């Protein structure tokens, strides 16, 4: 659970740093007016949890293969909460492509073809979400901000690609096959969690930032597998965007 520990430390560190910066500034960035614009960026996601190694089922050993790279795009806004501009709220509506990669290696010959000694499945799964992150920000005069808040996600699609390699007792290796599936029956429709991070918002509207998001609800239906594993969405987001000031 190293990432979640880092997230908690980062959240505490961000709050402490923000309060420290506030103590050295008489006023923060000009409050201005609400802003509206677009953001996009890189989404590096995975599944995390103590029972991830059980995702392949009781006859397989599962190894997660790092973070799955993809993208997100969002309609983003910032709304001042104070006359000084120190505090803002930043609601968004995002389309996010999360997912995971894992390798399942058979532990027994149960369920394998005659003469087959081992089967290895490389699984790449994409989970498409509509997400509503609601970040509460503390801003500084220089444009630097720290953010923390809740996030709600709704699953709108899934695609799985499985690459299967079969090895036989005589040393032959079968031709690798690929298959895709779009079922979402084994995935929870809703997820909720938290986001935290930091970034830079220029007065011109240019914004960039680094964010971490963590889901609190198990992603894969626990009854779908014998071990009933608990799995959570875990993502690092690198984002850039442009937000126009509304009104005159």
């Amino acid at each position: 659970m190293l990432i979640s520990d880092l997230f908690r430390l980062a959240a505490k560190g961000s709050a402490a740093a923000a309060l420290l910066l506030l103590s050295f500034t008489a006023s923060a960035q000009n409050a201005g007016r609400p802003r509206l614009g677009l953001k996009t960026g890189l989404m590096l996601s995975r599944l995390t949890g103590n029972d991830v190694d059980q995702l392949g089922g009781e006859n397989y050993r599962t190894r997660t293969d790092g973070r799955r790279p993809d993208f997100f795009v969002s309609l983003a806004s910032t709304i001042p909460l104070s006359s000084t501009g120190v505090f803002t709220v930043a609601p968004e509506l995002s389309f996010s492509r999360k997912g995971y990669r894992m390798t399942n290696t058979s532990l027994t010959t149960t369920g394998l073809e005659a003469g087959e000694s081992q089967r290895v499945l490389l699984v790449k799964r994409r989970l498409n979400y509509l997400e509503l992150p609601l970040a509460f920000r503390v801003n500084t005069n220089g444009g630097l901000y720290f953010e923390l808040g809740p996030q709600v996600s709704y699953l709108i699609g899934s695609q799985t690609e499985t690459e299967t390699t079969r090895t036989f007792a005589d040393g032959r290796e079968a031709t690798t096959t690929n298959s895709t599936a779009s079922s979402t029956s084994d995935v929870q429709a809703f997820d909720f969690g938290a986001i935290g991070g930091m970034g830079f918002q220029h007065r011109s509207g240019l914004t960039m930032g680094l964010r971490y998001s963590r889901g609190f609800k198990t992603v894969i239906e626990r009854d779908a597998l014998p071990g009933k594993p608990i799995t959570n969405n875990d993502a690092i987001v690198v984002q850039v965007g442009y937000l126009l000031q509304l009104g005159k």
Side-chain angles (χ1 to χ4, degrees), residues 46-206:
R46 67 174 186 174
L47 288 185
T48 188
N50 292 331
D51 305 315
V52 174
D53 59 348
Q54 299 179 28
L55 282 175
E58 57 185 356
N59 294 325
Y60 285 86
R61 180 181 69 251
T62 298
R63 184 188 76 244
T64 55
D65 297 330
R67 294 183 179 273
R68 183 185 181 279
D70 220 308
F71 75 94
F72 83 98
V73 61
S74 68
L75 179 65
S77 63
T78 59
I79 304 170
L81 295 178
S82 65
S83 59
T84 60
V86 173
F87 302 105
T88 58
V89 61
E92 299 178 28
L93 174 61
S94 300
F95 170 73
S96 301
R97 295 184 14 153
K98 297 181 178 180
Y100 57 90
R101 301 185 303 184
M102 64 184 182
T103 300
N104 297 323
T105 303
S106 62
L107 297 174
T108 70
T109 57
T110 302
L112 305 187
E113 296 178 4
E116 188 178 355
S117 61
Q118 189 179 71
R119 183 177 297 182
V120 178
L121 298 93
L122 175 60
V123 181
K124 301 177 183 178
R125 189 168 195 178
R126 185 177 73 227
L127 302 173
N128 298 329
Y129 286 96
L130 280 180
E131 298 189 309
L132 292 170
L134 183 63
F136 293 90
R137 293 182 178 176
V138 179
N139 306 288
T140 73
N141 270 329
L144 188 67
Y145 67 80
F146 301 88
E147 64 178 10
L148 189 67
Q151 177 172 271
V152 178
S153 306
Y154 176 69
L155 183 72
I156 59 174
S158 169
Q159 185 175 22
T160 305
E161 179 181 293
T162 304
E163 182 180 287
T164 305
T165 302
R166 296 179 174 88
T167 302
F168 292 86
D170 59 4
R172 290 184 300 111
E173 187 173 285
T175 303
T176 299
T177 59
N178 293 285
S179 62
T180 59
S182 57
S183 174
T184 59
S185 60
D186 63 331
V187 184
Q188 297 272 13
F190 286 95
D191 191 15
F192 62 90
I195 58 171
M198 61 183 297
F200 175 78
Q201 172 74 58
H202 193 266
R203 294 177 185 273
S204 67
L206 177 66

